[in-house]
Amino acid sequence: MCRVVDVRQAVLAKNDALAGALREELAARGTVVVTLLSSPGSGKTALLEQVLARTTARGVPAAALTADLATENDATRLARSGAPVKQVLTGGLCHLEAAQLRAHLEGWLPAGTRVLYVENVGNLVCPASYDLGETLRITLMSVTEGEDKPLKYPAAFGLAHLVVLTKTDIAQAVDFDRAAFVRNVSRINPGVDVVETSARTGEGVEALVERVLAVVRGGGVHRPAMAAAGPVGGGVHVHAHQPPDPTPVAFPAPEDPAVPRP
């Protein structure tokens, strides 16, 4: 009898094992990984530019790795923060995978980095299924995208530890229904917090930085109920973080394990 092998599930299982190993190794050297996931045009890079600058201004060593299909535009913008930045061109791949992240960090991530921001490719479908070894996963959405976005992309919002609403300065102009959006987020990910931001006015940026720093200090994160619920409608693969693989990663040891306090 022939046995049908689900190749995609096998690929995801391998990715989860690598992500687990990466998370353990980075945690051991005192580095928290924060991933940002959104559709194109959400304002993710503009917001990250401010968050990165404010994180370093608070005395917390930070770095950023940004992924895109082409161009180094995002890295150029983020580098204005003064923090170490690396651009990853995926060559057409619509998401980052743990093996890619691991390879790009080796020999680059500065010793003593406390926060590594990873900006995934602009896409709310493929990236949602891939654990990158993050401690904090943030899914972003702009007010221009429609209040039903969480219902359309349940994996992206259902596995988020934090949801960030962007471009709130134009919410009234686009007739954004905030209450409907919050209800939809809660249906997909009960209990998750929503931080409202505007990169243009600075609204909510400091609150977002503080949420990140709370995790750096050892604070817990929201654990999505969906992570333990298995597959959802439409065959979308969702999964919880897997136990770590013991394979070591060759990163330099941190110079000082103390967490800078703002």
Side-chain angles (χ1 to χ4, degrees):
M1 177 182 293
C2 294
R3 180 182 178 185
V4 178
V5 178
D6 188 332
V7 176
R8 185 165 185 270
Q9 294 297 327
V11 169
L12 288 170
K14 180 179 180 180
N15 180 83
D16 285 351
L18 289 172
L22 184 59
R23 180 164 35 252
E24 283 290 297
E25 186 67 22
L26 289 171
R29 59 162 295 190
T31 302
V32 166
V33 178
V34 178
T35 59
L36 292 89
L37 177 69
S38 78
S39 59
S42 68
K44 180 167 72 266
T45 305
L47 183 62
L48 179 55
E49 184 179 349
Q50 290 198 27
V51 168
L52 190 57
R54 295 191 189 206
T55 301
T56 56
R58 299 276 287 269
V60 181
L65 184 146
T66 180
D68 219 332
L69 302 179
T71 82
E72 296 187 358
N73 295 348
D74 290 352
T76 300
R77 292 171 60 185
L78 294 177
R80 295 188 298 216
S81 68
V85 176
K86 185 171 186 178
Q87 178 76 56
V88 175
L89 299 181
T90 64
L93 191 64
C94 64
H95 60 275
L96 276 176
E97 297 181 6
Q100 287 176 295
L101 180 59
R102 182 179 198 162
H104 284 286
L105 293 183
E106 290 183 6
W108 169 74
L109 188 66
T113 299
R114 301 312 311 273
V115 185
L116 171 64
Y117 292 100
V118 178
E119 182 181 15
N120 216 319
V121 179
N123 186 344
L124 281 175
V125 183
C126 302
S129 291
Y130 287 84
D131 182 0
L132 296 180
E134 66 266 23
T135 301
L136 179 65
R137 177 184 287 203
I138 301 175
T139 297
L140 304 91
M141 191 200 92
S142 73
V143 297
T144 62
E145 296 179 65
E147 299 84 356
D148 62 346
K149 184 74 77 173
L151 304 181
K152 290 183 175 181
Y153 299 94
F157 287 88
L159 289 173
H161 301 117
L162 182 67
V163 172
V164 172
L165 184 65
T166 64
K167 304 184 182 181
T168 55
D169 55 299
I170 60 172
Q172 185 174 359
V174 298
D175 198 25
F176 180 73
D177 189 338
R178 178 190 176 279
F181 167 71
V182 172
R183 285 197 302 271
N184 291 336
V185 170
S186 296
R187 284 180 58 188
I188 298 300
N189 194 340
V192 70
D193 286 340
V194 176
V195 177
E196 301 183 24
T197 66
S198 167
R200 178 178 294 177
T201 67
E203 176 194 358
V205 178
E206 196 63 30
L208 179 55
V209 172
E210 186 53 42
R211 293 299 295 268
V212 172
L213 296 186
V215 176
V216 174
R217 299 185 196 108
V221 296
H222 167 78
R223 296 298 176 188
M226 193 173 178
V232 295
V236 178
H237 174 86
V238 294
H239 58 284
H241 290 161
Q242 302 297 314
D245 185 293
T247 308
V249 185
F251 295 130
E255 295 176 350
D256 183 0
V259 179
R261 291 295 187 264

